[in-house]
Amino acid sequence: MQDKSNHRKNKTNYGRYMKLLLTGDWHIRQSNPENRTDNYFDTLVTKLMILFERGKNEDLPILQPGDFFDSPNQSNYVLSLLIGNAVNLHTIFCVMGQHDLRFRNKGNTALDVLEAANIVQIITTKPFSYTSNVHIYGCSFGEEIPEIITPNKFNILLIHKMIVENKLWATQEGHVFAMNLLRKTKFDLIISGDNHTSFISEYKDRLLVNCGSLMRSSKEQIDHKQMFVIYKTETRKYDLNYIPIAPAETV
């Protein structure tokens, strides 16, 4: 059995704090969505390489909040490409979204293959001690939000759940408001996935980051700007970075 306590994090001594790269839903797939006219997969890989290069150059862990893949079944080509390009990254922490799990149980998905290859670490509801001061909790799709059991640490929640800044449409149901979640849970930092729009909510000195989807896959996302965030746990400051996109009419 793999000893996850000796994950690749140990190659760098971060001390008590660290700097993180926060991202959103990747929905990795080879096939083109109905409304895309470019090569969707090639464009997606180009954007992933922007994240990977930033992560590699600054030795940053990447926190990805689920829907890593667009389906639990992926070709050997996709898996080998990801393993080959991510092997030199510090690590990728993630949870499972509904697209990672669709029709399958945990333990039998493409994301599990990447974890076995030591490319990703799937975070569970049990806090993962990344440094002496920073703990990461996970909440995959359909799971209950965990209770904080390490109140004196910097606590991070990586979650796949429909969290919104405001309702996406007037009759929307089954969502959680970002500000309510920040007030209720007391996590210092929340990275959420499932909502493909981008927003950041702040309550006191606590932050919720929803980067949205890495790609535009429908006409409704014509104005969506893909972003990622660099966050420093010691200062609680962040830098917002936008990923270059092609004009909608060309893709």
Side-chain angles (χ1 to χ4, degrees):
M1 296 295 289
Q2 179 185 0
D3 182 2
K4 294 183 180 180
S5 64
N6 291 322
H7 204 257
R8 280 182 292 159
K9 74 183 185 76
N10 290 327
K11 74 177 185 180
T12 299
N13 181 11
Y14 273 91
R16 299 179 70 238
Y17 297 96
M18 60 184 181
K19 188 163 68 169
L20 311 165
L21 192 157
L22 316 180
T23 182
D25 298 28
W26 290 353
H27 286 280
I28 296 171
R29 58 186 284 179
Q30 278 188 276
S31 61
N32 266 38
E34 181 180 358
N35 295 307
R36 295 286 300 216
T37 58
D38 63 335
N39 186 309
Y40 180 89
F41 183 66
D42 286 351
T43 303
L44 171 61
V45 169
T46 299
K47 295 182 188 297
L48 284 174
M49 291 307 109
I50 292 173
L51 300 180
F52 287 3
E53 284 300 312
R54 185 67 177 270
K56 182 172 66 175
N57 291 341
E58 299 185 31
D59 204 17
L60 305 175
I62 297 175
L63 275 68
Q64 197 280 333
D67 282 354
F68 190 105
F69 291 111
D70 199 56
S71 74
N73 298 314
Q74 297 294 324
S75 69
N76 291 334
Y77 173 74
V78 170
L79 293 175
S80 62
L81 184 147
L82 288 169
I83 292 170
N85 283 283
V87 69
N88 292 320
L89 292 176
H90 192 281
T91 195
I92 302 173
F93 293 113
C94 64
V95 291
M96 288 185 157
Q98 63 268 45
H99 285 263
D100 300 309
L101 289 166
R102 188 184 299 167
F103 308 126
R104 293 216 176 207
N105 296 318
K106 294 176 184 178
N108 190 22
T109 72
L111 203 54
D112 292 298
V113 173
L114 293 189
E115 185 172 46
N118 206 28
I119 297 300
V120 307
Q121 180 160 343
I122 302 169
I123 301 297
T124 68
T125 55
K126 181 180 178 181
F128 174 73
S129 178
Y130 189 73
T131 72
S132 61
N133 196 50
V134 178
H135 286 193
I136 309 174
Y137 293 72
C139 183
S140 291
F141 176 74
E143 293 181 343
E144 294 295 324
I145 297 173
E147 295 288 335
I148 294 174
I149 60 174
T150 53
N152 298 319
K153 306 296 183 181
F154 187 96
N155 292 301
I156 298 173
L157 176 63
L158 192 56
I159 183 171
H160 194 86
K161 192 176 184 67
M162 180 51 66
I163 299 168
V164 300
E165 188 175 30
N166 300 293
K167 281 190 175 185
L168 300 179
W169 59 91
T171 58
Q172 184 181 14
E173 297 179 351
H175 57 277
V176 175
F177 286 110
M179 199 60 67
N180 290 344
L181 187 60
L182 283 168
R183 290 192 184 105
K184 179 181 178 182
T185 63
K186 304 295 191 300
F187 282 99
D188 298 286
L189 173 65
I190 300 173
I191 305 100
S192 59
D194 198 23
N195 182 354
H196 288 182
T197 60
S198 304
F199 69 89
I200 296 176
S201 294
E202 189 166 0
Y203 178 71
K204 296 183 177 179
D205 62 348
R206 303 199 302 276
L207 203 69
L208 185 146
V209 177
N210 191 97
C211 288
S213 58
L214 186 61
M215 294 284 286
R216 293 170 292 177
S217 58
S218 67
K219 293 180 179 178
E220 288 73 22
Q221 290 187 287
I222 192 169
D223 296 320
H224 173 58
K225 295 180 179 179
Q226 295 98 332
M227 70 179 197
F228 64 94
V229 168
I230 305 297
Y231 184 91
K232 298 178 181 179
T233 61
E234 184 173 13
T235 61
R236 297 176 183 258
K237 302 296 184 182
Y238 67 91
D239 296 318
L240 182 59
N241 301 262
Y242 286 103
I243 298 173
I245 58 174
E249 58 270 18
T250 67
V251 299

